Every structure is written in structure tokens, then in C-alpha cells.
Amino acid sequence: MSLASVRYQKFKRETGYSGEGEVYTNRQFEKPEPKVPWRAIGTATILFCTGSVLITIGALLLSGVLDSQYSDRTWPVLILGFITFLPGIYQLRIAYCAWRGYAGYSFDDIPDYHD
């Protein structure tokens, strides 16, 4: 978007001067409705699911349910599972609480990719 295509609009003068001719309107203090960061929520869902699968496989390897031939991969799988699970569940929790409208949670708290 170029600066030439941006249209500016003057505010109409209203009562309520600050003393030097500046006008304050209620519109400039309104916070816009936050956009839902769908890509970030999708990425968090993928991280959560991948981490859950890796933790499950690591736990099965650790308990011996899966073949002991793969026992050297137990700890790397568990660590990688926790590394992917934790950020995924954290972002999904914020998204769920913002969707439900709990106080202190907003979709603005989730980093977005700025398409």
C-alpha cells in the first residue's frame, strides 16, 4: 500500500478544547475489535498435536510397550515432544480463554504473522 493511496479525514470540531485548539473526540480512544489470528492458532494446534504424539511415543518407549530395539530414541523423542507441546498448549489456552471472553485474555495476546 503506497502512501499516495491513503485517504485522510479531518475530525469535525466539537466542544471540548484542550486550550491550544486541539480537539479530542471519543473515536480516537476507541479500541478496534481484535482480529482472530487464525494462522497462529493453526500453528499452535499443529505444535500441540505433534507434541502430544511425540510424548505418547516417548512414554510407550520408556515403559517398554514398544520394542526395546528403539530404546536409544526414548529421551530425544520425549524432549522434542515437550519442546513442541508446551508452546502449542500455551497459545491454545490463550486463544480458548479469549474466545470464551474471560477477563484478561484477548486475541491481541497471540502473536500474529501479519499476512
Side-chain angles (χ1 to χ4, degrees):
M1 174 188 268
S2 67
L3 290 178
S5 65
V6 176
R7 298 190 91 102
Y8 294 99
Q9 173 183 350
K10 282 181 126 179
F11 286 129
K12 294 181 182 176
R13 290 213 171 241
E14 297 178 7
T15 58
Y17 292 96
S18 66
E20 297 182 15
E22 296 179 11
V23 177
Y24 296 101
T25 64
N26 289 336
R27 285 193 304 169
Q28 73 189 80
F29 298 110
E30 291 176 0
K31 190 172 182 180
E33 188 70 28
K35 291 176 26 181
V36 179
W38 292 111
R39 286 182 62 190
I41 293 172
T43 303
T45 304
I46 291 170
L47 286 172
F48 170 73
C49 292
T50 303
S52 298
V53 167
L54 288 174
I55 289 172
T56 303
I57 291 172
L60 292 174
L61 284 169
L62 189 63
S63 65
V65 172
L66 292 180
D67 195 6
S68 63
Q69 160 187 354
Y70 304 112
S71 64
D72 60 332
R73 298 179 178 102
T74 302
W75 291 108
V77 168
L78 276 173
I79 291 170
L80 189 59
F82 281 116
I83 287 174
T84 57
F85 177 81
L86 290 176
I89 194 69
Y90 176 75
Q91 295 294 335
L92 285 179
R93 181 177 178 270
I94 291 174
Y96 175 76
C97 291
W99 175 68
R100 295 288 296 183
Y102 293 145
Y105 292 95
S106 171
F107 286 116
D108 291 333
D109 298 335
I110 300 173
D112 196 7
Y113 294 115
H114 302 292
D115 301 339

